[in-house]
Amino acid sequence: MENCIFCKIIKGEIPANKVFEDEHTLAFNDINPQAPVHILVIQREHYAGVHEIPGDSRDIIPQLFSTVTKVVVQEGLVEAGYRLVINFGKSSGQEVPHIHIHILAGRSMQWPPG
Ligand code: 5GP
Ligand code: ZN
């Protein structure tokens, strides 16, 4: 998708502080962290929300979570805990319409979230 910031990060047109990448996914530090650890996990293919992924491409979802698993282990987040967030659409406050999983850690979290 031409004007998508995360597609530009994937293509290397915008720099990002990468923590993990493989052939399907990329994980990088959020530019405006909301916790001491704030990592975004994205897929190389562009979809705005999980409900937009076609039936024959749904392996995208396990690929994303496989990378989340690798990152939380690699970054030592398991013992203290972490939060995963996926926003979609206006009411969620989604800013970038390219599916991403937020990994938040390093502080106590509130529930319910704001
Ligand atoms: P959303 O609100 O769409 O769920 O989250 C988008 C996230 O992307 C925000 O936390 C925002 O700080 C982050 N973000 C937006 N632009 C950039 C960028 O150019 N680089 C990085 N690393 N993060 C970005
Ligand atoms: Zn995109």
Side-chain angles (χ1 to χ4, degrees), residues 41-61:
V41 176
I42 64 174
Q43 238 282 346
R44 292 183 185 276
E45 289 176 54
H46 179 98
Y47 296 103
V50 291
H51 57 279
E52 293 185 1
I53 300 171
D56 59 357
S57 296
R58 297 228 168 100
D59 49 354
I60 286 174
I61 294 170

Side-chain angles (χ1 to χ4, degrees), residues 65-82:
F65 277 93
S66 170
T67 294
V68 167
T69 300
K70 287 173 184 155
V71 169
V72 296
V73 171
Q74 174 187 296
E75 301 300 309
L77 308 180
V78 173
E79 192 179 341
Y82 56 87

Side-chain angles (χ1 to χ4, degrees), residues 1 4 6-7 46 97-98:
M1 175 79 50
C4 171
F6 290 173
C7 284
H46 179 98
H98 181 130

